[in-house]
Structures are given as C-alpha cells and as structure tokens.
Amino acid sequence: MKLTPLQQEFVLHFGEMGSRWGINRTVGQIYALLFLSSEPLNADSITGALGVSRSNTSMGLKELQSWNLVRLKHFQGDRRDYFTTPEDLWEIVRILVAERKKREIDPTLTKLRELEMSGPAGDDYAEARIAELRELIEMMTGFYAEMEKLETERLVKLMTMGQRIAGLIDKAGGVLPALTKRK
Amino acid sequence: MKLTPLQQEFVLHFGEMGSRWGINRTVGQIYALLFLSSEPLNADSITGALGVSRSNTSMGLKELQSWNLVRLKHFQGDRRDYFTTPEDLWEIVRILVAERKKREIDPTLTKLRELEMSGPAGDDYAEARIAELRELIEMMTGFYAEMEKLETERLVKLMTMGQRIAGLIDKAGGVLPALTKRK
DNA sequence: TCTTCATTTCAGGAATTTCTGAAATCTCTG
DNA sequence: CAGAGATTTCAGAAATTCCTGAAATGAAGA
C-alpha cells in the first residue's frame, strides 16, 4: 500500500510527536494511518505502508488496543483482523482523556491518599502540601466526571460559549467552596 | 540534607511517574522535592537529598526552568541559586496546562494548517478528516483560552458546580455551532 | 587581574526503550 | 486432525535517553 503525500506527511508528523505524547513512533504512525483511512486496514497493509517489521506492527496494534483507540473489524471470507479508528472525533477525545487520566493521574491520587492515611509524619509543611494537592486533583477529577457525562452536543455548546461562560458562572447560585479561601 | 520518610516516598513516586509525564526520573524527583520544601533549596542540597550527580541536578533544574515550573531566589551574602515551586497550586496547574499545550498540541495544529494550505491532494477522505481534526483542536484551544482568562475563584466555582452545569448550558442562549451537526 | 566559588557543558558509559527476525502459538478449513 | 494462514512472543540488536565525572565557563570579591 502506497501512501499519498498528504498521508505520508501526516503519518510522519504523528510519528515524531509520539514521544511527546507518550507513545513510540510506530504507534503514532499506525494511529495516524488508520485515522486517515476510510477503509479498515489489516496488519500487513499497515506494515507495508509504514515500512516497519510485521512484529512491530503487531506490538503497536496491541498498544493501541490497550488504549482503546482502535476498533476491530472483520470481513466475510477473510480471516485477518482489520482496524479502524472511531469515526466520531469526540469519542476519540473522550477515550484519550479517560486513558491519560487513568495512567497519569489516578496512580498519583492513590499514592497521595496512601501517604495521608499513613498518619502524621511530623512534617507539617509536606503534609499540608500533599493534602492540598490531593484536594486539587479531586476537584479536577470531579469536574472531569461531570464533563464526561455531558452529551457531545452540550459539551460543544459549552466549549463555544466564549466569554459568556464567566457571566454564567457568576449568575449561578451556590457557595464558594473551601478551596478558594485566601491564604 | 536527609529526607523524611514522607518526603522520600513522595519523591520516589514522582520519579517513577516522570516517564509517563514526559520528564525523566531526576526531573520528577527534583520537582517533588521542591514542592514539599517550605524553604528554597540550592543545587547542592538537591544533589545530596536525591543522591544524583551535581551535573544531573543542573540539567534537571534547567529543564524545570524551561517548563517555567520553578522560581529562582537569592539570599543576602550567598551567591548560590535557590529554587522553589509556586506556592499557589492553581498557578502550577495553569503553567502545566500552558506548557503541555505548547509542546503537545500547538505543533500539530500548525502542521494540520500547513497540510490544508498545501492545497487539494486528491484524497477527499484524508482531507476531510484533517479539516475536522483541526476544527476540533481549534474549538478546544479556544475553550482553553477562555478558561485561562478566568480568575481562580470563578474557575473553582465552575469546577465545583456539579450537575448544575448541564442546566446552565441549556439555559444559556446561543446558536448550536456547526461542528455539532449530525452525520 | 587573579582567585575562588558556582554553574554549565559535554563526551562517553549506563540504562532503557524500540525494533527486528525467527520461532512459537493460535485458529480456521479441508 | 493435518496443514495453511494469521498473529504473537521473545531474545538480542539498534537506537535513544539518561546520567556521570571532568573540564570549561561565568561571576563575584580581593
């Protein structure tokens, strides 16, 4: 499978960005390729298009599956696995945010709670700092949980409200939560 | 400088998480150490506390400075540089988000625009997909720009509104933006 | 200007991650 | 259940990233 120049450049860019995004080059390239393909692709097409080894493709696809970023498809009379990305970009965003939260935030939140549970350490500043950090993360993950519940339509509306958001926040009733209190 | 068990465990955790966060172990540990210190620390204290080489500390601090994550302090009659993290956790969050956007999103947004500018490639699906992705990222960065403008107090209020957000969105006037349109 | 202390640079070694080819496993079909 | 096709596993090679010690640079005070 030969790539068009457009596909080629997009694929290479995703490969280069991979390391910043916490995936390796091949995984980035595979994802980019699937993202631009109207048709599902099998592992051999991917291998050919990217010029990597078959086993590398296999590992990359496994990694993408562990991220929930690809969908498996099958065709009548063909035993091979075919892969696609979700059509709906919002679904992709939801998956990405959920997975990054799981990998980058949750373990730390757990660790902070553990540290707090293990009782006073006679280190007031550190303890306060840890508690504050945990509260902040909890607030942010709580907000995330609410955003996650919104259907795409509402989410889009919120994201395109512009400066009107500030006004809306002010108009809304409710108590100022403890975390805001000034030092 | 000897660490308390609490500091020790926190520091080691940040070191381990470093690779998932896109920084190396030493950078993670230095940041964790500074985060838990009520007093600013100089490079030698850090080196001693973490048991790494002086040059590694130097490079780590440089990296943290490039992320804008540490502040420099000086004391009367002491030529050495001392480092701290911002007291205000919300400031830290703002910096982190801004820097990650700069490193992980902006280059791709630029690339997508370039690809679109380089004219029709005779690959309708890929072109549409790229345009759609660019629009999505623009919407999200636009939303981010609004959030960035909010003072912390309003931000906290928004983040703790819970399910009331959905209602607020509905009550707010405004047109449904094009991006929502169903396929 | 010289000396001393602080910091940075950098070449090369250590550690880790990525990738490959070959072999193993899995799974259909005849 | 044998054989062919598809996929995965895995040991080691290749590439990359991280870290160190030594040397270079910078910056203040004598």
Side-chain angles (χ1 to χ4, degrees):
Chain A
M1 182 183 160
K2 182 80 167 55
L3 299 185
T4 69
L6 181 66
Q7 289 176 317
Q8 187 69 255
E9 204 172 333
F10 184 86
V11 162
L12 291 178
H13 175 79
F14 268 54
E16 286 161 11
M17 293 299 289
S19 56
R20 301 197 194 186
W21 296 337
I23 56 178
N24 67 42
R25 178 177 27 207
T26 308
V27 172
Q29 291 186 352
I30 294 174
Y31 189 77
L33 179 61
L34 294 177
F35 182 82
L36 292 192
S37 292
S38 52
E39 302 304 318
L41 301 177
N42 63 44
D44 281 320
S45 314
I46 296 170
T47 300
L50 301 183
V52 298
S53 72
R54 180 62 183 75
S55 55
N56 196 4
T57 300
S58 176
M59 291 188 301
L61 285 168
K62 230 182 108 191
E63 169 87 357
L64 285 172
Q65 284 175 285
S66 86
W67 276 82
N68 246 303
L69 280 172
V70 292
R71 302 274 169 271
L72 210 49
K73 274 204 115 186
H74 286 104
F75 293 100
Q76 174 63 245
D78 187 338
R79 286 156 59 181
R80 292 171 295 179
D81 292 338
Y82 285 78
F83 300 88
T84 38
T85 59
E87 268 293 317
D88 178 6
L89 295 203
W90 286 99
E91 189 183 344
I92 296 176
V93 170
R94 287 174 195 273
I95 293 170
L96 274 176
V97 174
E99 291 290 328
R100 283 188 88 148
K101 170 178 175 293
K102 188 163 76 189
R103 288 155 203 250
E104 300 182 9
I105 312 276
D106 292 352
T108 294
L109 188 49
T110 300
K111 171 62 75 174
L112 296 177
R113 285 171 177 157
E114 275 173 33
L115 290 175
E116 287 183 295
M117 295 309 275
S118 61
D123 183 352
D124 290 353
Y125 186 81
E127 284 171 62
R129 206 77 166 139
I130 286 172
E132 208 187 344
L133 180 58
R134 181 199 31 82
E135 283 167 24
L136 177 78
I137 296 178
E138 282 173 349
M139 181 187 298
M140 291 177 43
T141 54
F143 182 60
Y144 161 70
E146 288 302 325
M147 293 296 99
E148 201 188 18
K149 280 188 224 155
L150 293 180
E151 20 343 2
T152 298
E153 206 158 312
R154 280 195 175 114
L155 205 51
V156 170
K157 195 170 168 202
L158 174 66
M159 300 191 86
T160 52
M161 284 189 350
Q163 308 99 314
R164 288 179 299 148
I165 292 179
L168 233 62
I169 295 171
D170 293 342
K171 254 192 298 182
V175 212
L176 261 190
L179 254 188
T180 333
K181 62 173 181 292
R182 297 271 143 256
K183 301 282 156 50
Chain B
M1 181 183 162
K2 182 80 167 56
L3 299 186
T4 68
L6 182 67
Q7 288 177 316
Q8 186 70 255
E9 204 172 335
F10 184 85
V11 162
L12 291 179
H13 175 79
F14 267 55
E16 286 161 11
M17 292 300 287
S19 56
R20 301 197 195 187
W21 296 337
I23 56 179
N24 67 42
R25 176 174 34 207
T26 308
V27 172
Q29 291 186 351
I30 294 174
Y31 189 78
L33 180 62
L34 294 176
F35 182 82
L36 292 192
S37 291
S38 51
E39 303 302 320
L41 302 177
N42 63 46
D44 280 320
S45 314
I46 296 170
T47 299
L50 301 184
V52 297
S53 72
R54 180 62 182 74
S55 55
N56 197 4
T57 301
S58 175
M59 291 187 301
L61 285 168
K62 228 183 106 190
E63 169 87 356
L64 286 172
Q65 284 175 286
S66 86
W67 276 83
N68 247 304
L69 280 172
V70 292
R71 302 274 169 271
L72 210 50
K73 273 205 116 187
H74 287 104
F75 293 101
Q76 175 63 246
D78 187 337
R79 287 157 56 181
R80 292 170 295 180
D81 292 337
Y82 285 77
F83 299 88
T84 40
T85 59
E87 268 293 315
D88 178 6
L89 295 204
W90 284 100
E91 190 184 343
I92 296 176
V93 171
R94 287 175 195 273
I95 293 170
L96 274 175
V97 175
E99 290 291 327
R100 283 189 88 150
K101 170 179 175 292
K102 189 163 75 189
R103 289 155 204 251
E104 300 182 9
I105 312 279
D106 292 352
T108 294
L109 188 48
T110 301
K111 170 62 74 174
L112 296 178
R113 286 171 176 157
E114 275 173 32
L115 290 176
E116 287 184 297
M117 296 308 275
S118 61
D123 184 350
D124 290 353
Y125 187 80
E127 284 171 61
R129 205 77 166 137
I130 286 172
E132 208 187 345
L133 179 58
R134 181 199 33 82
E135 284 166 23
L136 178 79
I137 296 179
E138 281 173 349
M139 181 187 298
M140 292 178 44
T141 54
F143 182 61
Y144 160 69
E146 289 301 324
M147 293 295 99
E148 200 188 19
K149 281 188 222 153
L150 292 180
E151 22 339 5
T152 298
E153 206 158 313
R154 281 200 177 110
L155 205 49
V156 169
K157 197 172 168 202
L158 174 66
M159 300 192 85
T160 52
M161 285 191 348
Q163 309 98 314
R164 289 179 299 147
I165 292 179
L168 234 63
I169 295 171
D170 292 342
K171 254 190 301 180
V175 211
L176 261 192
L179 255 188
T180 332
K181 62 173 180 292
R182 298 271 143 256
K183 300 283 156 50

